[in-house]
Amino acid sequence: MTVPPSGRALIATRDGVEPSTPAFEEHVAGLGYEPVDVLCQNRAEHNRYNLGPGLVDRIADRIATDDIEYLAVDHRVHPGQLVDLAERLPPVRLRDRRGVVREVLADGGNPVATVLGERQRRRVERRSVARSQRDGATNAPGGTDGRLDALDAELDRLDERWEDRTATQRRRIEDANTGADRYVAVTGLPTAPIAECWRALTGENAEATTVLGPATPKTARVRIASHDVAVTATTALLPALPEWFGTTVPGTISALSRADVIVTVGTGETDTLAASTLDRFDATHLRADLSSTEVNSVERLRERLGSAFPVERHVLTLPMTDEAMGLVSRCHDDGLVESVEYGETVSLTIAAPPERIPMLTDQVNEAGGTIERDI
């Protein structure tokens, strides 16, 4: 989703402290701001700002001289440090990396990100009010803590809303996957063509995409080989999957946790993603370096997915009756049949998901046939 620039932005970061956020400038641009520069510092931070004083001075000068409206700090800044930084700088919309990512996802329609972004801003406001009251700058009519009580009540309401929306996101993933033979999650780093790969696999459209892909997971059911597969396009992942990010995308975490196969879309950077993030999920990992317009690449990916799913081969011997012929047709429709021979009886070799064999055995017995494992 591309948003025309409506203001100028500045990005601040420090080398060697935390890994930088992939495509952080694209995050800021997606919010409608034009990143004009990245100011970086190599020296140790100052505890008051989590940025060195020299860098803070440079930022203040650039905000004043370049009409900067948005300052994005590409690492984590705590509420008290955000208060100190805001007081030190000219007026500017200030976000740390959590605030930027949550704002991107909220704009894309992620309700959990909306609540957590508001919660973070209220925590910063509470810290500012507490400091002002402590320093004697305000004196509420009902005592020095009137505004703090109101903010505490608002934070409690936001916590309840956060829990409710988190549960809703997890429940939607469970409902979308109910009854499927296998579960596949398609993911990648920011800017990876997650939605495009998902659309090529499923034929469905993915809406509300951002630099982080879908702001909330999208699931569609498709048949791959002999399997009814739920395929979910997740939000893009940040390396090492920091805890604050996991709480922002509970639907994505649920989809990855349920997946039998996780497909990572992109370039060689997906190796870093798998090593730092995906290994914590108990799933088969497939890497997809493909263009969404290349039909052959998608078909190869389908074949790889089909090979990753377990199947059992059985030989069905059925009489030439209407009931048995109906079962033969259903096996063909479900994509189970590898070979068939007609004679006095019908002999089918099928490859089916293991969990379908008990029901299939009952159907064969009811039709007066036999079923044997093909060793």
Side-chain angles (χ1 to χ4, degrees):
M1 181 172 63
T2 302
V3 179
S6 61
R8 295 160 67 84
L10 198 62
I11 294 173
T13 186
R14 290 187 291 116
D15 276 347
V17 180
E18 299 176 0
S20 60
T21 304
F24 196 62
E25 291 184 51
E26 285 88 339
H27 283 70
V28 175
L31 293 171
Y33 297 95
E34 178 189 2
V36 298
D37 204 355
V38 178
L39 300 184
C40 184
Q41 185 177 45
N42 297 316
R43 56 184 289 187
E45 79 282 1
H46 190 287
N47 286 336
R48 185 174 183 184
Y49 306 119
N50 208 17
L51 294 170
L55 180 56
V56 174
D57 290 340
R58 291 166 57 199
I59 293 170
D61 290 342
R62 292 295 299 273
I63 291 174
T65 59
D66 292 349
D67 296 324
I68 300 298
E69 298 180 19
Y70 193 94
L71 173 62
V73 181
D74 189 16
H75 56 81
R76 185 169 176 172
V77 185
H78 295 291
Q81 294 168 330
L82 286 169
V83 172
D84 287 333
L85 195 53
E87 290 178 352
R88 173 65 183 80
L89 298 173
V92 69
R93 189 181 181 98
L94 172 61
R95 299 285 186 267
D96 71 349
R97 67 164 46 144
R98 294 172 298 171
V100 171
V101 169
R102 286 168 175 164
E103 203 164 350
V104 167
L105 292 174
D107 281 1
N110 180 324
V112 177
T114 300
V115 171
L116 289 177
E118 181 65 19
R119 182 177 179 271
Q120 186 179 11
R121 291 189 289 274
R122 288 289 177 263
R123 289 184 65 206
V124 173
E125 182 181 357
R126 188 192 186 285
R127 183 65 65 91
S128 178
V129 170
R131 177 179 301 174
S132 296
Q133 292 186 357
R134 185 180 64 243
D135 295 342
T138 62
N139 188 8
T144 59
D145 59 350
R147 178 58 181 150
L148 288 180
D149 287 346
L151 285 168
D152 285 339
E154 178 64 16
L155 284 167
D156 287 342
R157 286 192 292 270
L158 288 170
D159 283 345
E160 292 176 3
R161 202 174 306 160
W162 173 21
E163 292 178 5
D164 179 67
R165 293 185 178 183
T166 294
T168 298
Q169 288 291 306
R170 291 171 176 162
R171 186 168 57 251
R172 286 178 177 172
I173 290 295
E174 183 177 350
D175 291 345
N177 289 335
T178 298
D181 296 331
R182 292 292 175 266
Y183 314 109
V184 173
V186 181
T187 193
L189 289 168
T191 74
I194 296 169
E196 291 82 355
C197 180
W198 180 81
R199 184 163 55 241
L201 281 172
T202 65
E204 300 288 338
N205 188 35
E207 300 176 352
T209 56
T210 68
V211 66
L212 287 160
T216 56
K218 311 291 181 183
T219 301
R221 298 283 276 272
V222 296
R223 181 160 293 281
I224 297 177
S226 59
H227 297 269
D228 175 18
V229 184
V231 182
T232 300
T234 77
T235 302
L237 302 180
L238 301 186
L241 197 59
E243 182 180 358
W244 66 263
F245 183 74
T247 60
T248 306
V249 290
T252 285
I253 301 304
S254 292
L256 293 170
S257 298
R258 291 177 63 91
D260 299 297
V261 178
I262 297 174
V263 176
T264 53
V265 188
T267 62
E269 292 177 333
T270 54
D271 292 335
T272 302
L273 177 61
S276 65
T277 304
L278 297 181
D279 286 350
R280 71 185 65 187
F281 298 106
D282 184 18
T284 299
H285 299 155
L286 294 181
R287 177 171 148 183
D289 295 328
L290 58 86
S291 165
S292 62
T293 60
E294 294 178 0
V295 175
N296 290 338
S297 332
V298 176
E299 289 306 313
R300 285 196 295 272
L301 178 56
R302 281 177 168 271
E303 291 172 3
R304 292 169 64 201
L305 285 170
S307 299
F309 301 144
V311 294
E312 290 184 5
R313 285 177 171 78
H314 286 70
V315 177
L316 280 58
T317 303
L318 298 167
M320 298 290 285
T321 63
D322 290 343
E323 184 179 4
M325 291 306 100
L327 178 57
V328 171
S329 295
R330 289 195 297 275
C331 287
H332 276 289
D333 292 342
D334 290 345
L336 307 180
V337 179
E338 290 191 338
S339 65
V340 59
E341 295 180 5
Y342 289 94
E344 293 184 0
T345 60
V346 183
S347 178
L348 286 84
T349 300
I350 62 149
E355 58 271 18
R356 296 188 62 180
I357 297 302
M359 181 179 68
L360 192 59
T361 299
D362 291 342
Q363 293 172 335
V364 170
N365 291 335
E366 289 175 3
T370 62
I371 180 170
E372 295 181 355
R373 182 78 177 266
D374 186 18
I375 306 299

